[in-house]
Amino acid sequence: VKVPHHTNSNEEMGWKHGIVALCGAILCLVCFDEASGSRGDRDPSFLRCVEGCKVTGCAGSHSCETVCNRSEEDVQPFLRLLRWDCDADCKYHCMRITNDERVQKWGRQHTWKYYGKWPFLRFMGMQEPASVLFSMLHFGLQTFLLLNYWRLVQFAKRQGPKLRYPYSWLWILEGAISLNTWMWSVVFHSRDTNLTEKLDYLSAILVVYFGLYRTLIRILEMKSVRAAASVGLAISCMYIIHIYYLLRVRFDYGLNIVICTVNGILQLSLILGWAFYTGHSQRNTLLAATLLLYVATLLEIFDFPPLFEVFDAHSLWHLLSLPAPYGWYLFYCGDTRSHLLQGKTE
């Protein structure tokens, strides 16, 4: 039994405008990412500093505090834990030195990126401390919301053996996948290596593909295990092909962004359209969460050097997007309650 649809023209235009705005923002982000580069790691003075540091253990005449000159026992525990070797530590110190010299001479607007990242101030061995902190907050919030939703599902089960919400497993699995993603986000922003970058990307891509899966299962009301498994197999194949290409053929950042963008726009359009068409009780909550992500995405578009050498646009995106999972949590709870109150049984 579907909920009768009662929408007015203002609500309908609202979610349509939200989708259009989100699409525009993400497409701009794609273009920006493609156009941006890293001038810092091509700077001759930086390259000379790194080469000299790896030989002498000193970053120019300024710093001889690199791990190159120390035994493993003398290296700070946090640097050992995050595996800062001589090459990586030299690049960090030389980045700090060459960037400080340039900024002192020409101003903050001449801050350059190095290997795709701004020259952050390292803290306890973490390359991007603000992004690490905000990713940890996301992880903690997701854990709290997932446990709360689990308690709601268990409470509903105790109300009657025949009364059951058929999509609770979907939201719980999505919560677990999100936790995995934020865990690797913490690791990647703590220490950017080839391995941690791949794990961060692959876990984030999994969230995107699972988002499409959960959207199709919910809006098409697939309650059959066979139907859900068939859709899951098809989307799993898409995900496997995607990551196989990235890992075995070419790690194409631009293509990855385009595929994830199209996927994201598709699933958001579908679930928002479905929510407003059916008059879902949490349709405005979903719209608000979507618009919040749109506003947060604007920060990524208007990228800027880190404030206080810590807070860049990406870290502030992590911070500003914090309430979005709570919006989805309200949708999950509202969908569960309305389904049970309507007396749907399995």
Side-chain angles (χ1 to χ4, degrees):
V1 179
K2 290 189 176 180
V3 180
H5 98 266
H6 300 287
T7 60
N8 56 46
S9 58
N10 290 335
E11 288 179 333
E12 186 175 355
M13 290 302 294
W15 71 262
K16 287 182 178 178
H17 288 162
I19 293 173
V20 171
L22 179 67
C23 296
I26 297 178
L27 289 176
C28 288
L29 178 60
V30 173
C31 296
F32 179 86
D33 188 84
E34 287 294 308
S36 61
S38 299
R39 297 175 64 184
D41 53 87
R42 297 194 297 268
D43 180 17
S45 60
F46 169 77
L47 296 174
R48 286 194 300 270
C49 176
V50 172
E51 289 304 314
C53 176
K54 288 192 286 188
V55 174
T56 65
C58 298
S61 59
H62 300 265
S63 175
C64 291
E65 299 298 319
T66 66
V67 301
C68 305
N69 289 331
R70 301 181 181 185
S71 63
E72 185 175 349
E73 292 75 19
D74 293 332
V75 176
Q76 296 177 15
F78 295 113
L79 298 182
R80 287 204 309 269
L81 176 65
L82 295 175
R83 298 184 177 276
W84 283 90
D85 57 16
C86 179
D87 179 68
D89 205 36
C90 281
K91 288 178 180 177
Y92 170 75
H93 286 284
C94 288
M95 172 190 71
R96 300 289 307 166
I97 291 168
T98 56
N99 184 72
D100 288 348
E101 291 175 347
R102 189 185 316 107
V103 169
Q104 288 175 7
K105 185 176 182 180
W106 302 104
R108 184 172 176 272
Q109 66 272 20
H110 288 275
T111 302
W112 293 349
K113 287 187 175 182
Y114 294 77
Y115 304 101
K117 293 179 178 289
W118 292 111
F120 296 99
L121 185 63
R122 190 170 65 185
F123 176 70
M124 296 175 67
M126 295 180 290
Q127 285 179 281
E128 301 175 71
S131 289
V132 171
L133 172 62
F134 299 145
S135 294
M136 291 175 68
L137 290 177
H138 268 281
F139 184 90
L141 177 62
Q142 289 278 5
T143 302
F144 174 76
L145 297 178
L146 182 59
L147 291 175
N148 271 2
Y149 183 72
W150 175 264
R151 283 193 286 267
L152 171 64
V153 171
Q154 297 307 308
F155 174 79
K157 286 182 178 180
R158 290 195 295 270
Q159 302 312 301
K162 293 185 178 181
L163 197 62
R164 188 169 68 88
Y165 174 65
Y167 307 110
S168 57
W169 64 273
L170 202 59
W171 311 137
I172 291 171
L173 183 55
E174 182 172 41
I177 291 174
S178 295
L179 287 178
N180 173 72
T181 299
W182 288 115
M183 178 189 70
W184 288 116
S185 177
V186 170
V187 173
F188 170 63
H189 289 302
S190 296
R191 180 76 169 89
D192 180 1
T193 67
N194 184 57
L195 176 61
T196 60
E197 180 188 43
K198 297 296 187 295
L199 290 171
D200 178 64
Y201 266 83
L202 298 184
S203 59
I205 294 168
L206 179 59
V207 166
V208 174
Y209 278 97
F210 189 83
L212 178 60
Y213 175 70
R214 70 95 157 96
T215 297
L216 293 176
I217 295 297
R218 182 62 191 94
I219 69 175
L220 298 177
E221 298 191 352
M222 294 184 187
K223 301 171 188 175
S224 163
V225 174
R226 179 176 296 181
S230 299
V231 174
L233 179 62
I235 294 180
S236 296
C237 289
M238 295 166 58
Y239 173 70
I240 291 170
I241 292 171
H242 187 159
I243 62 174
Y244 177 84
Y245 180 84
L246 292 178
L247 296 178
R248 305 292 295 182
V249 180
R250 178 172 175 245
F251 206 92
D252 191 325
Y253 296 93
L255 178 61
N256 178 65
I257 291 175
V258 170
I259 293 174
C260 291
T261 299
V262 172
N263 192 327
I265 291 173
L266 175 62
Q267 60 183 267
L268 283 174
S269 301
L270 287 173
I271 200 162
L272 278 173
W274 166 81
F276 275 85
Y277 177 78
T278 60
H280 196 282
S281 62
Q282 296 297 322
R283 59 190 180 278
N284 290 325
T285 303
L286 275 182
L287 178 60
T290 301
L291 292 179
L292 177 63
L293 289 176
Y294 155 65
V295 173
T297 303
L298 290 178
L299 285 172
E300 296 272 25
I301 297 170
F302 302 108
D303 197 13
F304 50 82
L307 304 172
F308 311 108
E309 301 179 291
V310 176
F311 303 98
D312 71 327
H314 183 67
S315 68
L316 294 179
W317 177 88
H318 281 300
L319 176 63
L320 191 58
S321 62
L322 258 172
Y326 183 70
W328 282 94
Y329 165 76
L330 293 178
F331 166 74
Y332 300 156
C333 292
D335 195 55
T336 303
R337 290 192 182 101
S338 62
H339 192 100
L340 296 176
L341 287 174
Q342 291 167 19
K344 293 186 177 182
T345 59
E346 293 300 306

